[in-house]
Amino acid sequence: MRTAFLLLAFADTWELQLLHFTLFLGIYLAALLGNGLIITAVACDHRLHTPMYFFLFNLSVLDLGTISTTVPKSMVNSLWDTRAISYSGCAAQIFSFAFFMSAEYCLLTVMAYDRFIAICKPLHYGTLMGSRACVRMAAAAWASGFLHALVHTANTFSIPLCQGNTVDQFFCEVPQILQLSCSDSYLREVGLLVVSACLTFGCFIFIVLSYVQIFTAVLRIPSEQGRHKAFSMCLPHLAVVFLFVSTDLFAYLKPPSLSSLALELVLALLYSVVPPTLNPLIYSMRNKELKDALRKVISWTFFSSGNIAIVLHK
């Protein structure tokens, strides 16, 4: 039985490996800080206890899970000058990455529905987006991600692997593991991937149709201030969806003639590392309520740290 896989290394010299570790550490800390602040702000500020911020809370948790699945292991490998990942570690990485990514996509679809109801059916918002309904929709997104990840992970690792143990990526992912499978034995997993792609496309169409109706309704708002407020509510979510979908689509639907290890590495960074890091910035950039809540959290953190320092000094 295979006991380990070899991941793709970013560099082959100690200096470049240290640079890779430092860059990934900075990105990881930025993602932890940004998403951690949003989670804390939404949890602590009662003004943010609304459906939109409840879903944003879940999105930040998923972003933390996504980036924590791939980046820390890559940092450790660079620091210790190794490429190895255990068989169980690879399976756990595939499951976790598929779980967080698919759950996030489902959640983004739910958030599009939330914006649709808020803009197009404001009189029914309280009824359709009550606390129980929001919890059920968020739970459905998490459950869908779990089921998707479980099926793909179990099926991928039930396929015989006979093409070595070198994974052409800096983390374990289903397509790279399928490249190690024996001829024709991967067709069942390819079928599952096609089904997943169809479901993903269905969610994408739902998001697009939702925003067509949202922008149609916004353009009918008579006051400029009302249109500006509506756009401010929708544009961050639309930007996050675009970032998430565009990087994934290009990574998986690019022409074979463009394939190369360097490009695969760059694309993997774009869809696995960039969105979790930028999402907090996108959501807080034009959101006054969230900015105020974040300022309070930061002020409280510094105030508490100052008090602790004074007590320790005494």
Side-chain angles (χ1 to χ4, degrees):
M1 180 181 175
R2 196 180 303 272
T3 59
F5 294 94
L6 297 178
L7 299 174
L8 185 64
F10 275 89
D12 53 2
T13 65
W14 167 243
E15 291 78 10
L16 290 177
Q17 287 174 349
L18 188 60
L19 177 62
H20 160 238
F21 172 82
T22 306
L23 288 175
F24 262 35
L25 178 62
I27 292 171
Y28 188 55
L29 291 177
L32 288 180
L33 178 63
N35 288 291
L37 283 174
I38 286 181
I39 290 170
T40 306
V42 174
C44 297
D45 195 326
H46 65 90
R47 295 178 303 167
L48 302 184
H49 292 175
T50 63
M52 182 175 75
Y53 294 110
F54 170 72
F55 293 132
L56 181 57
F57 176 94
N58 280 267
L59 183 68
S60 292
V61 174
L62 290 171
D63 279 336
L64 283 180
T66 301
I67 199 166
S68 296
T69 297
T70 58
V71 170
K73 177 59 179 175
S74 183
M75 289 165 54
V76 169
N77 280 5
S78 287
L79 196 61
W80 292 103
D81 191 21
T82 181
R83 296 169 53 198
I85 182 171
S86 66
Y87 184 92
S88 58
C90 186
Q93 205 170 55
I94 283 181
F95 174 82
S96 299
F97 188 74
F99 168 51
F100 290 120
M101 289 287 283
S102 50
E104 181 164 338
Y105 190 59
C106 292
L107 188 67
L108 289 173
T109 307
V110 170
M111 292 172 79
Y113 175 73
D114 171 63
R115 295 299 86 208
F116 167 75
I117 298 298
I119 302 296
C120 300
K121 298 182 179 181
L123 297 180
H124 301 282
Y125 188 77
T127 304
L128 295 174
M129 300 302 295
S131 57
R132 286 187 179 181
C134 291
V135 170
R136 286 172 183 166
M137 284 187 277
W142 284 83
S144 299
F146 179 83
L147 182 62
H148 175 268
L150 185 63
V151 169
H152 282 287
T153 305
N155 193 60
T156 299
F157 283 92
S158 68
I159 297 172
L161 304 178
C162 55
Q163 302 291 330
N165 66 338
T166 301
V167 179
D168 291 332
Q169 193 52 271
F170 75 96
F171 63 95
C172 286
E173 200 177 7
V174 171
Q176 278 67 40
I177 298 298
L178 290 182
Q179 292 177 6
L180 306 179
S181 63
C182 304
S183 58
D184 298 331
S185 62
Y186 61 88
L187 293 178
R188 183 177 57 186
E189 176 59 23
V190 170
L192 285 174
L193 289 173
V194 171
V195 173
S196 297
C198 292
L199 295 174
T200 301
F201 184 70
C203 291
F204 178 71
I205 293 299
F206 178 85
I207 293 172
V208 170
L209 292 177
S210 297
Y211 271 101
V212 168
Q213 295 183 68
I214 286 171
F215 287 134
T216 302
V218 169
L219 293 175
R220 291 175 183 164
I221 298 175
S223 68
E224 185 177 345
Q225 183 178 1
R227 289 196 299 271
H228 177 75
K229 183 178 180 181
F231 277 125
S232 296
M233 290 170 61
C234 297
L235 288 180
H237 175 256
L238 194 59
V240 169
V241 170
F242 175 79
L243 181 65
F244 186 89
V245 173
S246 61
T247 52
D248 275 5
L249 284 179
F250 188 72
Y252 291 108
L253 300 181
K254 67 183 185 304
S257 58
L258 294 178
S259 294
S260 69
L261 284 180
L263 182 60
E264 294 286 345
L265 202 57
V266 171
L267 290 175
L269 287 172
L270 285 177
Y271 65 76
S272 66
V273 175
V274 173
T277 308
L278 291 186
N279 285 353
L281 183 62
I282 293 171
Y283 267 102
S284 60
M285 194 176 295
R286 300 185 61 179
N287 190 314
K288 188 177 183 302
E289 289 181 334
L290 189 57
K291 281 182 179 178
D292 292 340
L294 289 173
R295 287 194 194 100
K296 286 183 179 179
V297 170
I298 294 171
S299 300
W300 180 83
T301 302
F302 279 110
F303 179 75
S304 300
S305 300
N307 285 344
I308 293 172
I310 292 172
V311 171
L312 291 175
H313 180 71
K314 287 181 179 180

